[in-house]
Amino acid sequence: MITLFNVWHYTVFGIILLIFIGGIAIAFKDDNSKIRVQLIFTTFLITTVMAGFSLFVVDKYTKKAKLYKLENKRNLSSEQIMYSGLVRNEGNYEIGEVTFEIKLVNRGHASGNVKAGSFFKPSGFFDFFSGESISGKSKPQQITHEFVVAKNLKPGETREFRVYFDYPPYFRGVAHFSKIYAH
């Protein structure tokens, strides 16, 4: 996934490039060739890690999205659930993608009303080969779905979204947890 870079990304990457060039220059000033290779490799490794972390840090503080008017409706005839709402870019920079994550948890587990064996299903080495663990006989008590609900969201812009997915028929009551991520 390609994210949209802003001025802060380029500034941080420019500083990291200067650090890399400085490390290479220091490495070539050393007369010992073994230490020179180690210095170049260490400089490359450190600046690569710095670039990776800085990408996430700059994204976190410059790309801010907020979720408004989240509603859900369940269609009993097709056993689907629909979520709709609005996402708004609250920051000063354009957002490449906004991802909506919804987690459904069977309410018996969310409220503490848990019966024996609800979470733990004993399995063994032979279950893998018999296909019992793969066949889907176990029913997950929480389900997470992610959807890209907006792309290229300009500062201050708001977009509507609507997503559908299959509702687990064995859920009796559901606790909903929603998040959005701006990339």
Side-chain angles (χ1 to χ4, degrees):
M1 179 189 77
I2 298 174
T3 62
L4 289 173
F5 289 157
N6 56 40
V7 172
W8 294 106
H9 288 95
Y10 294 120
T11 303
V12 170
F13 288 146
I15 292 170
I16 291 171
L17 180 64
L18 290 175
I19 292 171
F20 179 73
I21 291 170
I24 298 296
I26 291 171
F28 279 112
K29 284 186 178 181
D30 194 1
D31 294 333
N32 190 349
S33 65
K34 289 183 180 180
I35 294 177
R36 182 180 305 150
V37 172
Q38 292 174 355
L39 282 174
I40 291 172
F41 178 73
T42 303
T43 303
F44 175 75
L45 188 65
I46 289 172
T47 54
T48 303
V49 169
M50 286 173 56
F53 281 128
S54 67
L55 180 68
F56 291 112
V57 170
V58 171
D59 273 354
K60 179 177 176 159
Y61 289 106
T62 60
K63 298 180 178 181
K64 299 175 184 175
K66 201 165 183 182
L67 186 62
Y68 292 101
K69 297 183 181 181
L70 182 65
E71 295 179 358
N72 64 341
K73 294 178 184 165
R74 185 172 168 197
N75 186 352
L76 296 175
S77 64
S78 65
E79 284 297 325
Q80 285 191 330
I81 191 164
M82 184 249 332
Y83 282 88
S84 62
L86 301 168
V87 289
R88 180 177 172 83
N89 184 351
E90 298 283 328
N92 296 326
Y93 302 98
E94 188 172 355
I95 297 175
E97 283 185 349
V98 178
T99 304
F100 172 65
E101 177 188 273
I102 185 73
K103 183 190 292 186
L104 302 178
V105 178
N106 204 357
R107 187 163 305 269
H109 302 297
S111 64
N113 185 10
V114 179
K115 295 181 181 169
S118 295
F119 280 117
F120 178 73
K121 180 178 185 282
S123 63
F125 180 72
F126 295 110
D127 286 345
F128 179 74
F129 293 108
S130 68
E132 186 173 331
S133 63
I134 300 172
S135 66
K137 290 183 182 177
S138 64
K139 297 177 180 177
Q141 298 301 313
Q142 75 178 24
I143 296 172
T144 304
H145 292 283
E146 289 185 356
F147 303 94
V148 175
V149 294
K151 289 186 177 184
N152 299 329
L153 200 60
K154 306 247 186 269
E157 186 178 2
T158 303
R159 291 218 185 124
E160 288 186 44
F161 70 90
R162 183 171 294 157
V163 294
Y164 297 90
F165 58 92
D166 292 336
Y167 186 83
Y170 56 89
F171 275 25
R172 295 294 167 234
V174 177
H176 307 266
F177 303 98
S178 60
K179 291 181 186 176
I180 56 171
Y181 302 103
H183 307 288

